[in-house]
Amino acid sequence: MLGITDFWTYVLGVVAIILLPGPNSVFVLSVGAQRGVRAGYQAACGVFLGDAVLMFLSAAGVASLIAAYPALFLVLKYAGAAYLSWVGVNIIRIAWRRWRDRAVPTPAPAGEPPAGMQRPFRRAAVISLLNPKAILFFMSFFIQFVQPGYPHPELSFLVLGTVVQFFSALYLSALIFGGRYLAGQFRERRRLATGASTAVGTLFVGFGIKLATASVG
């Protein structure tokens, strides 16, 4: 169908992969919890953009280029690992600074977003582009379902990409509205908020380590 092999196998694989925790979904959940639905969808749009760029690059054959030049892959993965780790450490640092200074009344100016959550669209796009799960998915799993020799492979990639974005939109929407509930819990329980932020930051450091140890195969 439209140059796609084993379409329903692909759909099941996409759903399973999207449901696995990744830095983009964790970031969208955090933004939804701390800044609300509107900012959560700004972050989600950043994820959509990042994934679209990765899909385009995969369709253009960049995966083969990276496989042919291991040094390029090393540069990309270590730069991505450093960025994800930096995001994680920054989230942990801010969370514990707030906990340490909890007795000091220092209200933030009205309308100022929480530290680490500014510019959610841009930050989410960068995180999505450096997401090890997405990189490995689009470099290996994604391209396997395009039928070799099909005269219009761009149509095949378009359909496959639409499936990814559709299920991603459903999943991220659930996280954003789940974040609204978490926001109320965090406002009432400062210790819970500190623990949750620390967990999120630790996850990002883990994602960075995972990317640093990933192989092109």
Side-chain angles (χ1 to χ4, degrees):
M1 181 180 68
L2 299 177
I4 300 171
T5 62
D6 300 321
F7 177 76
W8 293 112
T9 300
Y10 171 77
V11 170
L12 292 176
V14 166
V15 172
I17 291 172
I18 286 177
L19 291 177
L20 289 174
N24 49 4
S25 57
V26 172
F27 182 73
V28 170
L29 175 62
S30 300
V31 172
Q34 298 193 40
R35 295 194 55 191
V37 172
R38 181 176 179 178
Y41 274 108
Q42 290 176 353
C45 288
V47 172
F48 300 150
L49 175 61
D51 286 349
V53 171
L54 290 176
M55 284 185 275
F56 174 79
L57 293 176
S58 297
V62 172
S64 299
L65 178 64
I66 291 176
Y69 296 94
L72 176 60
F73 179 73
L74 288 176
V75 171
L76 291 175
K77 79 169 186 175
Y78 287 130
Y83 181 79
L84 293 175
S85 298
W86 176 82
V87 170
V89 170
N90 198 43
I91 291 174
I92 295 172
R93 180 182 60 81
I94 292 170
W96 282 96
R97 185 177 65 188
R98 287 182 172 181
W99 172 256
R100 187 181 64 247
D101 300 337
R102 62 190 182 280
V104 181
T106 54
E112 181 178 332
M117 295 294 158
Q118 300 93 341
R119 299 180 294 275
F121 174 81
R122 187 173 72 180
R123 180 162 293 189
V126 174
I127 290 173
S128 182
L129 287 170
L130 300 176
N131 177 9
K133 183 179 73 172
I135 292 172
L136 297 177
F137 169 73
F138 291 117
M139 284 179 57
S140 56
F141 182 81
F142 180 70
I143 60 177
Q144 292 179 14
F145 291 86
V146 177
Q147 179 181 345
Y150 184 68
H152 302 289
E154 66 280 359
L155 182 59
S156 305
F157 280 112
L158 178 61
V159 174
L160 294 176
T162 301
V163 170
V164 173
Q165 299 287 40
F166 173 75
F167 285 105
S168 180
L170 292 180
Y171 180 55
L172 294 181
S173 294
L175 294 180
I176 290 168
F177 285 97
R180 292 188 64 187
Y181 170 78
L182 292 176
Q185 302 299 312
F186 292 159
R187 280 194 295 267
E188 297 173 2
R189 299 173 177 85
R190 186 181 293 270
R191 181 177 296 178
L192 176 63
T194 302
S197 295
T198 302
V200 169
T202 302
L203 279 174
F204 271 94
V205 174
F207 293 138
I209 295 172
K210 181 178 179 181
L211 179 56
T213 57
S215 64
V216 73

